[in-house]
Short mmCIF file of all heavy atoms in Angstrom, two decimals:
data_model
loop_
_atom_site.label_atom_id
_atom_site.label_comp_id
_atom_site.label_asym_id
_atom_site.label_seq_id
_atom_site.Cartn_x
_atom_site.Cartn_y
_atom_site.Cartn_z
N GLU B 245 -38.23 15.31 -1.18
CA GLU B 245 -39.05 14.34 -0.46
C GLU B 245 -38.75 12.93 -0.98
O GLU B 245 -38.73 11.96 -0.22
CB GLU B 245 -40.55 14.65 -0.59
CG GLU B 245 -40.98 16.01 -0.03
CD GLU B 245 -40.83 16.14 1.48
OE1 GLU B 245 -40.15 15.30 2.12
OE2 GLU B 245 -41.36 17.12 2.04
N ILE B 246 -38.51 12.82 -2.27
CA ILE B 246 -38.20 11.49 -2.82
C ILE B 246 -36.84 11.02 -2.33
O ILE B 246 -36.65 9.83 -2.01
CB ILE B 246 -38.33 11.52 -4.36
CG1 ILE B 246 -39.82 11.55 -4.70
CG2 ILE B 246 -37.63 10.31 -5.00
CD1 ILE B 246 -40.18 11.66 -6.13
N SER B 247 -35.89 11.95 -2.21
CA SER B 247 -34.59 11.57 -1.62
C SER B 247 -34.80 11.06 -0.20
O SER B 247 -34.17 10.10 0.23
CB SER B 247 -33.64 12.77 -1.59
OG SER B 247 -33.23 13.07 -2.90
N ALA B 248 -35.71 11.71 0.54
CA ALA B 248 -35.98 11.27 1.92
C ALA B 248 -36.64 9.89 1.90
O ALA B 248 -36.36 9.04 2.77
CB ALA B 248 -36.87 12.28 2.62
N ILE B 249 -37.52 9.65 0.94
CA ILE B 249 -38.17 8.33 0.84
C ILE B 249 -37.13 7.26 0.50
O ILE B 249 -37.15 6.16 1.05
CB ILE B 249 -39.32 8.38 -0.20
CG1 ILE B 249 -40.51 9.14 0.41
CG2 ILE B 249 -39.75 6.97 -0.63
CD1 ILE B 249 -41.59 9.50 -0.57
N TYR B 250 -36.20 7.61 -0.38
CA TYR B 250 -35.09 6.68 -0.68
C TYR B 250 -34.29 6.36 0.59
O TYR B 250 -33.73 5.28 0.74
CB TYR B 250 -34.10 7.31 -1.67
CG TYR B 250 -34.52 7.35 -3.12
CD1 TYR B 250 -34.12 8.42 -3.93
CD2 TYR B 250 -35.25 6.32 -3.72
CE1 TYR B 250 -34.46 8.47 -5.28
CE2 TYR B 250 -35.60 6.38 -5.06
CZ TYR B 250 -35.21 7.46 -5.83
OH TYR B 250 -35.53 7.50 -7.15
N ALA B 251 -34.23 7.37 1.51
CA ALA B 251 -33.37 7.23 2.69
C ALA B 251 -33.99 6.36 3.78
O ALA B 251 -33.36 6.10 4.79
CB ALA B 251 -33.05 8.62 3.26
N MET B 252 -35.24 5.91 3.58
CA MET B 252 -35.90 5.13 4.64
C MET B 252 -35.63 3.63 4.49
O MET B 252 -35.26 3.15 3.43
CB MET B 252 -37.39 5.43 4.63
CG MET B 252 -37.61 6.83 5.16
SD MET B 252 -39.28 7.34 5.00
CE MET B 252 -39.05 9.11 4.97
N GLN B 253 -35.89 2.93 5.63
CA GLN B 253 -35.48 1.53 5.68
C GLN B 253 -36.29 0.63 4.74
O GLN B 253 -35.78 -0.35 4.22
CB GLN B 253 -35.62 1.02 7.12
CG GLN B 253 -34.63 1.67 8.07
CD GLN B 253 -35.05 1.53 9.52
OE1 GLN B 253 -36.10 0.98 9.83
NE2 GLN B 253 -34.22 2.03 10.42
N SER B 254 -37.57 0.93 4.61
CA SER B 254 -38.44 0.04 3.82
C SER B 254 -39.66 0.82 3.34
O SER B 254 -39.88 1.96 3.74
CB SER B 254 -38.90 -1.14 4.68
OG SER B 254 -39.75 -0.67 5.70
N ARG B 255 -40.47 0.13 2.52
CA ARG B 255 -41.71 0.77 2.04
C ARG B 255 -42.64 1.07 3.22
O ARG B 255 -43.28 2.11 3.29
CB ARG B 255 -42.44 -0.15 1.06
CG ARG B 255 -41.70 -0.37 -0.23
CD ARG B 255 -42.61 -1.09 -1.20
NE ARG B 255 -41.86 -1.44 -2.39
CZ ARG B 255 -41.44 -2.66 -2.67
NH1 ARG B 255 -41.69 -3.65 -1.83
NH2 ARG B 255 -40.77 -2.90 -3.77
N ARG B 256 -42.74 0.09 4.12
CA ARG B 256 -43.61 0.27 5.28
C ARG B 256 -43.13 1.46 6.13
O ARG B 256 -43.94 2.27 6.59
CB ARG B 256 -43.60 -1.03 6.11
CG ARG B 256 -44.49 -1.01 7.33
CD ARG B 256 -44.39 -2.35 8.07
NE ARG B 256 -44.89 -2.26 9.42
CZ ARG B 256 -46.16 -2.31 9.76
NH1 ARG B 256 -47.08 -2.45 8.81
NH2 ARG B 256 -46.53 -2.24 11.01
N THR B 257 -41.81 1.55 6.29
CA THR B 257 -41.25 2.69 7.04
C THR B 257 -41.65 4.00 6.37
O THR B 257 -42.02 4.97 7.05
CB THR B 257 -39.71 2.61 7.09
OG1 THR B 257 -39.34 1.34 7.60
CG2 THR B 257 -39.12 3.70 7.95
N ALA B 258 -41.60 4.02 5.04
CA ALA B 258 -41.95 5.24 4.32
C ALA B 258 -43.40 5.63 4.58
O ALA B 258 -43.72 6.80 4.82
CB ALA B 258 -41.70 5.05 2.83
N ARG B 259 -44.30 4.62 4.58
CA ARG B 259 -45.72 4.91 4.84
C ARG B 259 -45.91 5.45 6.26
O ARG B 259 -46.63 6.43 6.47
CB ARG B 259 -46.55 3.63 4.69
CG ARG B 259 -46.94 3.26 3.29
CD ARG B 259 -48.15 2.35 3.27
NE ARG B 259 -48.06 1.23 4.18
CZ ARG B 259 -47.44 0.07 3.91
NH1 ARG B 259 -46.84 -0.08 2.75
NH2 ARG B 259 -47.43 -0.91 4.79
N LEU B 260 -45.27 4.80 7.22
CA LEU B 260 -45.42 5.24 8.61
C LEU B 260 -44.80 6.63 8.81
O LEU B 260 -45.32 7.45 9.55
CB LEU B 260 -44.77 4.23 9.56
CG LEU B 260 -45.45 2.87 9.62
CD1 LEU B 260 -44.69 1.92 10.54
CD2 LEU B 260 -46.89 3.00 10.10
N ALA B 261 -43.68 6.85 8.14
CA ALA B 261 -43.02 8.16 8.27
C ALA B 261 -43.93 9.27 7.76
O ALA B 261 -43.98 10.36 8.35
CB ALA B 261 -41.71 8.15 7.51
N ILE B 262 -44.67 9.01 6.70
CA ILE B 262 -45.62 10.02 6.19
C ILE B 262 -46.67 10.30 7.26
O ILE B 262 -47.06 11.45 7.49
CB ILE B 262 -46.24 9.56 4.85
CG1 ILE B 262 -45.17 9.62 3.75
CG2 ILE B 262 -47.45 10.41 4.47
CD1 ILE B 262 -45.60 9.02 2.42
N GLY B 263 -47.13 9.24 7.96
CA GLY B 263 -48.08 9.44 9.06
C GLY B 263 -47.51 10.30 10.17
O GLY B 263 -48.16 11.20 10.68
N TRP B 264 -46.26 10.00 10.54
CA TRP B 264 -45.63 10.83 11.58
C TRP B 264 -45.46 12.27 11.13
O TRP B 264 -45.58 13.20 11.92
CB TRP B 264 -44.29 10.21 12.01
CG TRP B 264 -44.48 9.12 13.00
CD1 TRP B 264 -44.40 7.77 12.77
CD2 TRP B 264 -44.86 9.25 14.37
NE1 TRP B 264 -44.69 7.06 13.90
CE2 TRP B 264 -44.97 7.95 14.91
CE3 TRP B 264 -45.11 10.34 15.20
CZ2 TRP B 264 -45.33 7.71 16.24
CZ3 TRP B 264 -45.46 10.12 16.52
CH2 TRP B 264 -45.57 8.81 17.03
N SER B 265 -45.17 12.43 9.85
CA SER B 265 -45.03 13.82 9.37
C SER B 265 -46.38 14.54 9.47
O SER B 265 -46.42 15.74 9.72
CB SER B 265 -44.47 13.86 7.95
OG SER B 265 -45.48 13.81 6.99
N PHE B 266 -47.51 13.80 9.29
CA PHE B 266 -48.83 14.43 9.49
C PHE B 266 -48.99 14.90 10.93
O PHE B 266 -49.54 15.97 11.20
CB PHE B 266 -49.96 13.43 9.19
CG PHE B 266 -50.16 13.15 7.72
CD1 PHE B 266 -50.66 11.92 7.31
CD2 PHE B 266 -49.88 14.09 6.76
CE1 PHE B 266 -50.87 11.64 5.97
CE2 PHE B 266 -50.08 13.82 5.41
CZ PHE B 266 -50.57 12.59 5.02
#
Side-chain angles (χ1 to χ4, degrees):
Chain B
E245 299 294 14
I246 286 176
S247 289
I249 286 169
Y250 283 147
M252 289 173 205
Q253 293 161 357
S254 67
R255 293 190 187 104
R256 182 180 163 81
T257 306
R259 278 202 311 276
L260 293 177
I262 289 172
W264 278 104
S265 89
F266 286 151

